[in-house]
Amino acid sequence: MDSPMNQEAWLPTFYVGQHESKRTLPVTDHVLRQAHDCNASILSRSKFETRLTKSRVQALVRQTLLVGGGRETQASPPTVPPLSLPDTTLSPGGISSQLLALVSPWIDLCSPDPIIADVSRQVLYLEVAFAAFCGIEYIFVPGPRLYHGDARTHGTPQYARAIQEVLSIASHAQIHIMLPMVDDPSQVVDDPHSLAILAREDCLDEVEELKPQRTDVYALSLPRMIPPLSIQSRWFSEPVKLISLTPDTFVKNAKGNPVLFEPVRSFISRLMRQKVTPWILLCDVGPIPGLENTASNPNGFLSPGAMADASTPPTPAEAASYPQRNMQQNQDSAPHLSYMRYCQRNQPPRSIVEQYCSGYQDHLQFPLQPLTDNLENMTYEVFEKDPVKYDAYEEAIRRALRDWVKEGKPASGPNGRVVVTVAGAGRGPLVTRALRASEAEGVEIDMWAIEKNPNAYVLLQRHNAEDWNNRVTIVQSDMRSWKGPWYANIADTNGNLSPHGEHGRIDILISELLGSFADNELSPECLDGILHLLNATHGISIPQSYTAFLTPLAAPKLHQEISSRASWDPTAPDAPAVVWLHAIDYLSLAAQPPIRDQNTEGPISKGKSRAQTPASPLTTASPSSPTPSSAPNVLPTWTFYHGPQPPLPHETNSNAHNKRHVRLSFRTRNRGVCHGFGGYFESVLYPGAELSTNPNTIEEKSAGMISWFPIFFPLKTPLYLPDHSLLTVNMWRQTDGRKVWYEWMVESWGYNLMIGGEKRLVRLGGGEVSSSVKVACLM
C-alpha cells in the first residue's frame, strides 16, 4: 500500500467568515482586503436590518391594527414598500461572490398572527430578491420560530410555503436556513425589535408539532454546551453548509482568551471530515481590526484626513506614547479568529482509512458484475492496496496448512503435496500469499491459479516466470466449468501409473469473491460450480462462511443525490449502491438484545438452520429501555457456508437453493426519518482468521481494512419514525437461474395505549416493495 501522505495535506481548511449585525460601514473591497489580512475568508452582508426598516415595518403593522379596529378584527395586512437607499448599502459588484447575505432576523414567518406572518413574508421576498439582483450566491434565512410564548407554533407549513416561493424568486442563489442546534424553548429570547412582540395574545394554546420541510442545506448555530450524541449524530447526517458561532458559544480560558469546550470543538472537527466542509461564521465577536480609523463615509475607505495623518511624522508627544500603543497592539485584535485558526492547525490526525478514502465520502458506486465483465487493471490495483485483507488471508492459509499436517490428513497432490487452488486469481496476490504461507509453515503444496480474464491470465504467466519460479500451474477458465487439476501420470490405488491421466481433487480452495453485502457479487453461485472438486473428506474452503448484516440509516444527503440521479437514471431509487457511509445517523442503537425475525427460503447449507423467532412485531417488548449506546444495532440477515459438496444436477438450471428471506426488527428510541439501510458483512476465512465491515466488529477483526465500502439499500419514499417506535424490514435474495437481485420492504410500528392500560403495537406506515431486478447481477 502506498505510504500515507503528509498529515498536513489531509487537514481540511477552515473557511472562517465574520458577521456584524450592527456594522455601519458598507462592505467594500478595502474592508474585504482587511478581513483577509486578518485571516477571515468571507464576510456577511446584512445591512437590510437597519433600525429604519424595522421601525418602518413596525409602524405599518401598528397603523394597520389601529385603523382596522384592533386585534379582534380581520384587518388586511399592509403592503411593505420597496427597499430604498437608506435601507441597504449593498450593490452589485465584483466582491459579491465573497459575501454572504443574511436576511433580517426579526421577521417571523411562523407567527400565529396572520398580519405579522404576511408582513414577514413580504420583507423576506424584498430582501432575497435584491440580494439575488446584486449577485449574492449564498442567502441565509432565519429558521422557523417554533415557539411563541410557552406554546409550540403550527406555522411551519406557511414557513415552508414562503421558502418555496423564495426558491423561485432567487433561482440562481442558494437558500440556506439558519437553525439552532437544539430545539429548546427555554433558550428562546424575545428580541425587543422582533415583529413577534406584536403577535396576538390569544394564540398561545399548545399546538401539535409539525416538522419543517427540509431544504437543500442548513446553517447551524452551535450552543456553548453541546447536546447529547443522538442530536449531534442527527445533525451530522444533515447537509450543513455553515456553522454559526456567537460570543455565547465561547468561554474564557485562564489567560482570558476565548476558547470552545472540547465537545464543541470535537463536533466541529467531525463536521470538517465531510466531503464538503461547512463554513464557519463568527457572529458579533467584534469588528474587523484595522478599521477603527475608517470614516463613516459611504465608500468605506479611509477618510482624507486619516490618510494625511498617516503620512505626517509623529510629534514628540505622540512618539512618547508609542510604547503604550505597541503594548496594546501586542494583544490579539481578533482572538476568536485566531483561535479558530489554532483549531484548524490542531485537528485530530486522520486514520489510514480516512486518508485513503478521502473524497469518497457518500459517493455512490454500483457493485461489480464479476461474472459478465473482465475487470480493468486499475480495479485490481485498488484491491491489492489493502494489506489487512491479504494478511488475514495469509493467516488463514497458514492455519489451514498447519492443521492439515497436525491432523495427518492425506493430501490429494502428487508426492503427498497439498493441492491449493486460487479460484479467480486476478493479478495473483492470493497466489503470492499462499506460496509465502507454504514456505513459512514448511508444507509443500501443489499450487493452481484459475482466472477467466484473458488479460490477467497473461500477467499471471509473467508473475509465474519472474516471481514464482514456475511453481504455479495457471489455467484460463471460468471456475464453474473447470474440471479440476490435471495429472498426466497419476498413480491409482495399486501404485500403477495411468497412461492417460485424470483430474484430481482440491485440498484447499481459496477465493476472494465477497462483495459489500457478502453475497451480492455472486460468491455462492461461483463457488457452487467448483466446490464439488474439493477433497470430499478433508477439503477446506477459504472463506468457510460469510454473513450479511443490516441497520437502518438516516441519510438525507444520499437520498438527495439518488433523487437527483433518478431524473436521468430511473433505476437509481431501486439500485443498491456501494458507498463509504459518512454523513449518516444510525436510527437504532444497540441498547438491548436484538429482536430478530427470520424465515429462510431454501437451506443455508448442510441442513443447518437458524433459530426462528415469532414474525409478528406484536411480540416485541415495551419501548422503555436503558439509554442507548453509540454502537448501532446491526442485525444479521443470512449466512452462506462453504465446504465439500456434491455437484449440482446438470438437468436443471435452477438456483433456488441460494434464495433467502429474512425479517428484522429494529427499535428506535428517538424520532427520525429512515432513508434506507446500510449493509455489511462478516466472514470466517478459517477459524482464527476473520474479516468484517460491521461497524461494531471491524476494529476487532479487520482494523484498517479498505477493500470494501458498505452497501446502501435506498427507500423510494423516506419513512418517518416517531419516538419509541419499531421498524421492521423484509428482505429477499431472489434469483431466476440467470441473475440475482434483492427486494426489500419496510414498515413502522408504534405503541397505542388502549383503555384499561393495555399496550398494543399498531402499524403506523410502510413503503412499497423495492426491487433491484433491473440492475440484477448476471450469472
Side-chain angles (χ1 to χ4, degrees):
M1 182 177 180
D2 295 340
S3 59
M5 296 177 60
N6 189 319
Q7 177 63 23
E8 285 295 328
W10 296 98
L11 293 178
T13 302
F14 285 16
Y15 292 96
V16 185
Q18 190 197 47
H19 168 62
E20 296 178 55
S21 59
K22 298 181 181 180
R23 182 186 295 136
T24 57
L25 292 174
V27 178
T28 62
D29 185 63
H30 166 71
V31 176
L32 190 61
R33 287 199 307 269
Q34 185 64 29
H36 289 171
D37 291 341
C38 296
N39 258 339
S41 305
I42 48 180
L43 286 178
S44 70
R45 175 69 274 167
S46 58
K47 197 57 174 63
F48 296 120
E49 51 181 274
T50 62
R51 285 295 178 89
L52 176 63
T53 301
K54 277 192 284 193
S55 60
R56 178 192 303 171
V57 175
Q58 287 178 335
L60 280 173
V61 173
R62 289 192 176 95
Q63 182 66 22
T64 301
L65 293 176
L66 180 63
V67 173
R71 299 181 181 274
E72 301 302 327
T73 61
Q74 296 295 325
S76 299
T79 300
V80 178
L83 295 174
S84 60
L85 184 61
D87 293 329
T88 179
T89 58
L90 181 65
S91 61
I95 65 172
S96 297
S97 62
Q98 302 180 61
L99 301 181
L100 309 179
L102 275 66
V103 172
S104 297
W106 42 266
I107 63 174
D108 185 9
L109 297 169
C110 289
S111 175
D113 189 316
I115 294 181
I116 302 300
D118 189 274
V119 169
S120 298
R121 181 179 53 81
Q122 294 183 57
V123 174
L124 173 68
Y125 294 171
L126 288 173
E127 295 187 353
V128 168
F130 186 71
F133 170 78
C134 292
I136 301 293
E137 297 181 17
Y138 303 98
I139 303 174
F140 294 82
V141 179
R145 186 183 177 91
L146 299 181
Y147 288 92
H148 291 82
D150 295 330
R152 204 160 166 86
T153 184
H154 56 281
T156 47
Q158 62 193 34
Y159 180 91
R161 177 180 174 275
I163 295 299
Q164 290 289 349
E165 290 289 333
V166 161
L167 292 175
S168 62
I169 292 175
S171 57
H172 299 291
Q174 296 188 28
I175 306 297
H176 309 313
I177 295 179
M178 303 189 69
L179 292 172
M181 190 173 187
V182 181
D183 178 20
D184 185 357
S186 65
Q187 297 183 3
V188 178
V189 179
D190 282 337
D191 180 359
H193 301 287
S194 171
L195 293 181
I197 62 174
L198 301 176
R200 300 174 188 261
E201 297 178 358
D202 57 353
C203 294
L204 298 181
D205 295 335
E206 186 172 355
V207 293
E208 182 180 359
E209 177 185 358
L210 289 175
K211 182 179 176 62
Q213 176 177 325
R214 280 196 70 256
T215 55
D216 290 341
V217 286
Y218 294 122
L220 186 61
S221 177
L222 299 188
R224 177 179 299 181
M225 303 296 294
I226 207 73
L229 185 62
S230 59
I231 297 179
Q232 294 182 46
S233 298
R234 191 61 50 85
W235 275 116
F236 182 74
S237 69
E238 295 288 349
V240 175
K241 180 67 175 179
L242 181 140
I243 304 169
S244 172
L245 305 177
T246 67
D248 291 335
T249 313
F250 292 86
V251 294
K252 297 287 186 180
N253 63 7
K255 296 182 180 180
N257 296 321
V259 296
L260 297 172
F261 281 132
E262 186 58 33
V264 180
R265 183 176 167 185
S266 298
F267 178 72
I268 294 176
S269 296
R270 187 184 177 195
L271 286 175
M272 291 301 170
R273 301 299 175 96
Q274 295 188 353
K275 185 176 181 179
V276 179
T277 59
W279 301 334
I280 299 174
L281 189 63
L282 299 175
C283 299
D284 294 325
V285 297
I288 299 173
L291 298 180
E292 293 83 358
N293 294 326
T294 304
S296 57
N297 54 0
N299 59 23
F301 289 96
L302 292 176
S303 63
M307 296 178 65
D309 291 341
S311 60
T312 304
T315 64
E318 291 174 337
S321 66
Y322 276 179
Q324 181 177 359
R325 292 183 181 180
N326 291 336
M327 185 180 302
Q328 295 174 350
Q329 291 174 358
N330 287 335
Q331 297 178 355
D332 194 342
S333 56
H336 297 81
L337 184 55
S338 299
Y339 176 75
M340 296 312 301
R341 294 305 178 196
Y342 167 82
C343 293
Q344 175 182 339
R345 296 190 301 271
N346 293 273
Q347 297 176 70
R350 291 197 170 193
S351 66
I352 296 296
V353 175
E354 288 178 315
Q355 294 184 26
Y356 179 81
C357 301
S358 179
Y360 286 93
Q361 300 97 315
D362 303 310
H363 175 68
L364 298 172
Q365 305 175 73
F366 292 106
L368 300 174
Q369 293 273 6
L371 295 185
T372 57
D373 300 334
N374 289 323
L375 301 183
E376 299 292 336
N377 179 67
M378 183 63 68
T379 305
Y380 287 121
E381 185 175 348
V382 170
F383 291 157
E384 294 171 16
K385 286 184 177 180
D386 186 355
V388 177
K389 175 180 68 175
Y390 292 109
D391 287 347
Y393 265 97
E394 183 176 342
E395 178 64 20
I397 299 169
R398 291 187 60 174
R399 287 174 177 266
L401 291 174
R402 189 184 311 151
D403 291 346
W404 194 281
V405 174
K406 181 180 178 180
E407 298 172 11
K409 300 177 181 179
S412 302
N415 301 321
R417 294 199 300 268
V418 179
V419 180
V420 178
T421 300
V422 175
R427 303 198 313 178
L430 285 180
V431 177
T432 300
R433 294 297 184 129
L435 294 173
R436 186 185 302 176
S438 169
E439 296 172 356
E441 295 298 325
V443 179
E444 292 189 7
I445 63 174
D446 187 28
M447 190 75 227
W448 292 73
I450 314 302
E451 176 56 48
K452 72 176 181 65
N453 187 338
N455 304 310
Y457 172 70
V458 176
L459 186 59
L460 287 172
Q461 291 176 309
R462 184 177 301 278
H463 283 315
N464 197 25
E466 298 178 357
D467 304 322
W468 300 331
N469 198 25
N470 292 312
R471 292 178 292 169
V472 182
T473 304
I474 303 172
V475 179
Q476 182 186 356
S477 172
D478 188 315
M479 69 181 73
R480 296 171 294 177
S481 59
W482 186 50
K483 300 184 181 303
W486 173 261
Y487 298 106
N489 297 312
I490 193 169
D492 58 20
T493 56
N494 297 322
N496 301 318
L497 294 178
S498 172
H500 306 293
E502 62 183 38
H503 292 284
R505 291 284 182 171
I506 302 171
D507 293 323
I508 300 177
L509 175 65
I510 308 168
S511 62
E512 53 173 332
L513 306 170
L514 296 174
S516 295
F517 199 52
D519 54 77
N520 63 296
E521 292 184 8
L522 306 191
S523 176
E525 284 72 19
C526 291
L527 293 178
D528 276 348
I530 194 174
L531 283 174
H532 67 278
L533 300 178
L534 268 181
N535 184 313
T537 306
H538 306 292
I540 297 173
S541 171
I542 298 177
Q544 292 189 343
S545 66
Y546 36 84
T547 304
F549 290 79
L550 281 178
T551 190
L553 301 175
K557 287 185 177 180
L558 290 178
H559 176 72
Q560 195 172 39
E561 181 174 348
I562 292 173
S563 299
S564 300
R565 185 181 294 229
S567 61
W568 54 269
D569 180 7
T571 66
D574 289 315
V578 175
V579 56
W580 183 26
L581 297 172
H582 193 69
I584 60 169
D585 182 30
Y586 296 112
L587 295 173
S588 179
L589 301 181
Q592 293 182 336
I595 308 170
R596 188 169 179 277
D597 305 325
Q598 174 169 320
N599 290 314
T600 304
E601 296 177 2
I604 294 179
S605 179
K606 296 184 180 180
K608 296 183 179 180
S609 61
R610 291 179 169 268
Q612 303 292 316
T613 54
S616 172
L618 301 179
T619 62
T620 56
S622 160
S624 59
S625 62
T627 302
S629 65
S630 58
N633 188 19
V634 185
L635 300 185
T637 56
W638 46 69
T639 300
F640 285 91
Y641 300 91
H642 296 301
Q645 68 179 35
L648 297 176
H650 292 288
E651 62 274 7
T652 177
N653 197 29
S654 174
N655 189 36
H657 64 287
N658 284 325
K659 287 185 176 181
R660 295 291 186 269
H661 169 240
V662 69
R663 179 185 177 89
L664 300 175
S665 298
F666 299 89
R667 284 198 189 95
T668 62
R669 182 180 180 86
N670 300 311
R671 73 194 67 179
V673 177
C674 181
H675 297 94
F677 290 82
Y680 312 88
F681 75 87
E682 292 182 5
S683 175
V684 178
L685 300 178
Y686 189 81
E690 298 185 39
L691 297 175
S692 174
T693 64
N694 184 336
N696 292 335
T697 59
I698 186 172
E699 290 301 318
E700 173 189 353
K701 299 180 179 181
S702 307
M705 187 173 66
I706 57 177
S707 288
W708 292 278
F709 288 158
I711 196 168
F712 181 68
F713 293 93
L715 298 183
K716 295 179 182 178
T717 304
L719 185 63
Y720 175 72
L721 305 172
D723 291 330
H724 302 299
S725 59
L726 186 72
L727 176 67
T728 62
V729 56
N730 281 274
M731 177 162 277
W732 296 264
R733 187 181 195 267
Q734 299 283 56
T735 178
D736 60 3
R738 296 180 294 108
K739 57 184 179 293
V740 174
W741 69 95
Y742 298 95
E743 296 178 356
W744 58 99
M745 185 184 72
V746 296
E747 296 175 291
S748 63
W749 306 79
Y751 286 88
N752 182 22
L753 201 58
M754 306 296 290
I755 298 176
E758 182 184 359
K759 189 179 293 184
R760 295 184 56 190
L761 271 174
V762 294
R763 186 178 185 275
L764 302 178
E768 58 184 299
V769 177
S770 298
S771 175
S772 63
V773 65
K774 293 183 179 180
V775 290
C777 202
L778 301 178
M779 296 173 57

